[in-house]
Amino acid sequence: MNKSSKMVTLFLSTALVISSAGCGTKQQVVYDQNGNPITVEDDDDDDGYFGRYLAPFGFSKRHSSGAGVVRSPGVSSGSSSSAQNSVNSNSGSTKPVGGSSSTGGTGISSGSHGGIGGGGSSAS
Amino acid sequence: MPVEPSYEEIRERLYGPLRDVFSWDWIEGLEYGLAGIHYITPSFRQEIKLATEALGSIYAKTVFAVQSAEDPLLLELGIPKELLPAVRVLVKPEIVTVMGRFDFMQTAEGIKMIEFNADTPTSVVEAFFVNAQACRFFGAESPNQGTEGQIGEAFTRIVKTYKELGYATDSIVFSALSWHKEDRDTVKYLMDQSGLKAKFVALEDLRIFEDRLCALLDDRFVPIDVWYRLHALEKLVEDYDENDKYPTGAHVLDLVARGKLAIINPPSAFVAQTKALQSLIWNLHEAGEFYTPEEHAWVENYMLPTYMENRFLNKEPFVTKPIFGREGGAVSLFDKDGRVAEKDKDDFYWDQPMIYQKRLEMEEIESNTVSGPYRGRLLWGSFLVGGRASAISARIGERITGNLSCFLPIGVKTSKEEKSKCI
C-alpha cells in the first residue's frame, strides 16, 4: 500500500472516534449527519465549567452521557470502538523531560533553563 | 515644468513614513516592498474570500478528526513523536488557527491553494497595515477594509475560550526572535492589534523555571499563562539549554500537553501546517470519503492533486515540497518526464519527507522596481483569522516563491464588464 492510501486508511479507521482536551475536561466527539464534528462535555455541572459544551460548525447539541459516536455517512472503512479509549485526558503528558528531577515524577530539574528560539526565523 | 518623481522618490514617500511599523521594506540590501499597485476586480476579491473560508472549514473539520486519531496517522503526517501529546490538546475545534494564511495562485484552472501557513504566518503587517497605506497613497480602494478589527476579535475569543477551559489567562506574553526585525515587529504589531493586556518578551528571554514557562524580566521569573509565539513547534521541540543540555522546548511542549500553558496559535494549527495534510485531504476527496458533497466540490475547485508518492511521472508536470518547508525552501519543479525545471538553491529542508503536487503555471505580471521593470509570478496570501476570511496580500517572484520575492500592494478596481453586470 502506498503512503497516501495508508494515511487514508489510518484516518478512516482511527480518526473518527473519541478525542479529549487538556485540563482534564471530559469531552467526547460525535458527528452529525453531515459528518461535522461536535464536541460535547459531561453535563454533571450545568452552571460550571464541566456543564459547558462546544458546538463547532454551527451545530448545537446537548449531550447526554450515553451519547455514542455517530459515523459520518460515506465513511466505509471500519472503526474499532475500542479505539474510543485510546486517547485519554492528560494521558502520556507527564513524562519526564529532563534527567535531573527534583520534584518527583514530573522530571523538572531545579534552576532555570533557557535556549528557546533555536533554528532561526519561523517566518512563513 | 514639474519633473516627474523617480521610482526611488515615490518609493521613499510611500515607505519612509511607515518604517516605525514596517521596517523591512529592504531586506539584506534587496528591495522587498515595491512602490506600485496591482489591481484586482471585486469578483476576484470575493472568490478568494470564499475559497479561504471554504478551505478553513475543510481544514478545521479534518484537523479536528486527526487530533483524535491514533499515533500512526499523526506520525505519517510528519508530526514529530515528541509533539504527539501536545497536538492532541483541543481548544476551539471550529477554529483551526487564530491567525493563518493560505497561499493561492491564479491559474488557467482557477485559483488554487498551494499551502497553508497555519502555525507561524508572516506578511501580517504587509496585508493588514501596509497595503491599506499604499492604497491611500495611490488613491486606490483597499481590498482589506475592516480586517484589522478581526485580529482583536480572534485573539480575545481564543483567550476567552482558554479561560472557559480552565486555563489561567492573566499573564500574556508575545514572543519572537529579538534580532530578527521582521519577526519581532510582526509580533509587536499583532500584540498591539490583539487588544490584549500583554508584554513582548523575546524568545531568548524565556526560561523554564519551577515547571512554568517564565519571562526573565529584571532578573525575576514571571510565569506565563498565555503565550503567542512566532516560533514553530517543530523548531521548539528541538530547543535545549546550551549550558546544561536541558530539553527546554520539550518541557514547554509538556506544559502545553498538561494544560499548564495556553499557546497561540493553538496546537491544531501545527497539525494544519504539515503539507502532508494536503495529501490526506485530497486523497479523502478522491476516495469520496468524509466530506459532504459541497465540501468535495470545494476541495476539487480550490486544491491541487497532492500525494505522498509520485503519481505524476510521465503524465503531467509536478512539484515536490518538504512537509515543513518555508519560503520556498527545498521546493523543486519538474516537467512531466521528471526533468528538473527549477529547484530551490538553499540548503534547508531537503531532509524532510516530500509531497508531490500537480504543477500549474502561476499568473505572470510586470512591476516596476529599483532595478527597472520586472516580470514575475504572483502569489496571493489570504489570511484566515478566527475562522473567517480576512486580509489578502500579494508577492511577486520567481516560479518558486522564495524569501527574495517582493511585496506588491494591491487595490480593487471594478472592470467595465463588472460595472455593466451591476447595471
Side-chain angles (χ1 to χ4, degrees):
Chain A
M1 185 187 291
N2 63 43
K3 203 169 159 66
S4 302
S5 304
K6 186 179 173 189
M7 284 201 310
V8 169
T9 302
L10 286 169
F11 181 88
L12 294 173
S13 61
T14 73
L16 305 177
V17 285
I18 197 166
S19 184
S20 65
C23 298
T25 313
K26 289 173 78 175
Q27 292 183 330
Q28 188 174 23
V29 180
V30 297
Y31 289 83
D32 72 358
Q33 290 180 338
N34 292 321
N36 293 304
I38 302 168
T39 309
V40 288
E41 294 176 1
D42 280 350
D43 250 342
D44 49 1
D45 178 6
D46 277 347
D47 298 327
Y49 161 58
F50 288 108
R52 195 186 45 72
Y53 61 96
L54 301 174
F57 306 103
F59 291 88
S60 175
K61 191 172 184 177
R62 204 32 122 165
H63 166 59
S64 71
S65 59
V69 175
V70 180
R71 291 185 55 73
S72 167
V75 176
S76 56
S77 298
S79 168
S80 164
S81 60
S82 65
Q84 290 183 22
N85 295 321
S86 63
V87 183
N88 296 314
S89 298
N90 298 332
S91 68
S93 60
T94 56
K95 62 183 179 185
V97 293
S100 54
S101 172
S102 62
T103 55
T106 58
I108 303 152
S109 63
S110 56
S112 69
H113 307 282
I116 296 173
S121 169
S122 291
S124 66
Chain B
M1 193 171 159
V3 180
E4 285 284 309
S6 67
Y7 176 86
E8 287 79 358
E9 286 168 330
I10 294 170
R11 194 182 180 287
E12 190 55 30
R13 281 185 212 167
L14 170 59
Y15 290 114
L18 308 182
R19 290 196 182 110
D20 281 348
V21 180
F22 177 57
S23 56
W24 56 99
D25 59 294
W26 291 93
I27 296 178
E28 295 171 6
L30 297 171
E31 185 180 24
Y32 170 63
L34 299 183
I37 195 151
H38 176 73
Y39 285 99
I40 58 172
T41 63
S43 60
F44 178 78
R45 178 69 186 95
Q46 184 63 14
E47 187 177 12
I48 211 165
K49 180 182 178 196
L50 288 176
T52 300
E53 290 196 345
L55 292 176
S57 69
I58 293 279
Y59 266 81
K61 178 172 175 170
T62 312
V63 166
F64 188 41
V66 166
Q67 284 180 288
S68 75
E70 292 176 3
D71 289 352
L73 175 63
L74 283 94
L75 294 171
E76 285 292 328
L77 287 166
I79 310 288
K81 68 177 187 306
E82 300 85 353
L83 271 160
L84 294 179
V87 300
R88 293 189 185 285
V89 173
L90 295 178
V91 182
K92 200 167 177 60
E94 70 275 37
I95 307 278
V96 67
T97 180
V98 174
M99 187 98 199
R101 192 192 75 239
F102 285 109
D103 282 346
F104 288 99
M105 56 187 204
Q106 174 72 292
T107 75
E109 297 179 21
I111 61 169
K112 299 289 181 185
M113 185 270 290
I114 56 171
E115 68 181 65
F116 186 25
N117 299 288
D119 192 33
T120 56
T122 47
S123 293
V124 173
V125 175
E126 294 90 316
F128 288 86
F129 172 71
V130 183
N131 199 80
Q133 302 298 320
C135 283
R136 199 165 299 142
F137 183 87
F138 290 111
E141 183 186 337
S142 168
N144 298 332
Q145 280 171 9
T147 54
E148 264 188 334
Q150 290 177 305
I151 298 174
E153 289 170 22
F155 275 84
T156 303
R157 208 178 320 142
I158 194 75
V159 171
K160 183 167 174 270
T161 301
Y162 270 122
K163 193 171 186 178
E164 288 169 352
L165 287 169
Y167 285 74
T169 58
D170 296 326
S171 169
I172 304 175
V173 161
F174 283 59
S175 295
L177 294 166
S178 65
W179 53 265
H180 194 285
K181 65 182 177 182
E182 178 186 353
D183 284 16
R184 180 196 63 216
D185 291 351
T186 295
V187 169
K188 285 184 174 177
Y189 171 80
L190 270 177
M191 186 173 77
D192 289 345
Q193 297 303 315
S194 75
L196 298 171
K197 194 177 163 196
K199 274 194 174 66
F200 177 86
V201 178
L203 289 168
E204 309 91 283
D205 294 330
L206 297 174
R207 298 287 184 274
I208 286 287
F209 181 67
E210 295 185 341
D211 201 25
R212 296 292 303 271
L213 177 64
C214 296
L216 182 58
L217 298 171
D218 302 324
D219 292 329
R220 287 175 47 240
F221 295 113
V222 179
I224 298 168
D225 298 322
V226 180
W227 184 39
Y228 175 87
R229 68 208 149 76
L230 185 49
H231 188 45
L233 292 192
E234 80 270 17
K235 292 177 189 278
L236 178 66
V237 75
E238 293 179 351
D239 283 344
Y240 66 94
D241 190 318
E242 286 188 354
N243 294 321
D244 58 7
K245 307 297 177 202
Y246 188 80
T248 316
H251 196 150
V252 174
L253 290 163
D254 189 48
L255 295 175
V256 173
R258 284 185 281 140
K260 293 191 73 170
L261 175 68
I263 55 170
I264 305 173
N265 284 311
S268 53
F270 182 68
V271 180
Q273 178 82 26
T274 167
K275 293 182 183 72
L277 201 74
Q278 290 184 52
S279 169
L280 176 63
I281 293 170
W282 184 264
N283 284 278
L284 284 167
H285 161 61
E286 275 195 339
E289 297 280 14
F290 190 57
Y291 305 113
T292 64
E294 185 180 32
E295 289 165 344
H296 279 296
W298 292 339
V299 175
E300 182 73 30
N301 287 343
Y302 299 128
M303 290 182 71
L304 287 164
T306 307
Y307 306 97
M308 300 304 297
E309 59 284 328
N310 192 351
R311 298 196 195 173
F312 301 102
L313 193 61
N314 298 321
K315 292 177 189 161
E316 54 189 336
F318 60 96
V319 183
T320 59
K321 303 173 188 176
I323 58 172
F324 287 116
R326 293 163 195 282
E327 309 268 13
V331 172
S332 302
L333 310 183
F334 295 87
D335 297 332
K336 73 174 183 181
D337 58 5
R339 269 187 305 205
V340 177
E342 209 155 319
K343 191 175 179 180
D344 174 51
K345 294 177 181 67
D346 285 340
D347 295 331
F348 309 109
Y349 310 122
W350 291 100
D351 56 342
Q352 293 185 11
M354 298 278 170
I355 60 163
Y356 296 80
Q357 193 165 62
K358 180 177 175 177
R359 176 183 156 203
L360 292 174
E361 286 298 324
M362 300 164 80
E363 175 186 12
E364 191 177 29
I365 64 158
E366 185 171 289
S367 176
N368 280 333
T369 72
V370 288
S371 313
Y374 168 67
R375 285 195 76 75
R377 309 283 169 160
L378 206 51
L379 183 73
W380 296 96
S382 182
F383 282 88
L384 183 76
V385 178
R388 292 160 60 200
S390 190
I392 60 173
S393 64
R395 278 180 294 163
I396 179 171
E398 300 300 305
R399 278 191 170 88
I400 299 171
T401 307
N403 56 4
L404 297 179
S405 62
C406 298
F407 163 67
L408 178 63
I410 44 177
V412 178
K413 190 182 273 180
T414 305
S415 66
K416 281 177 187 167
E417 293 78 21
E418 286 192 275
K419 266 184 186 164
S420 62
K421 273 186 210 164
C422 293
I423 297 167

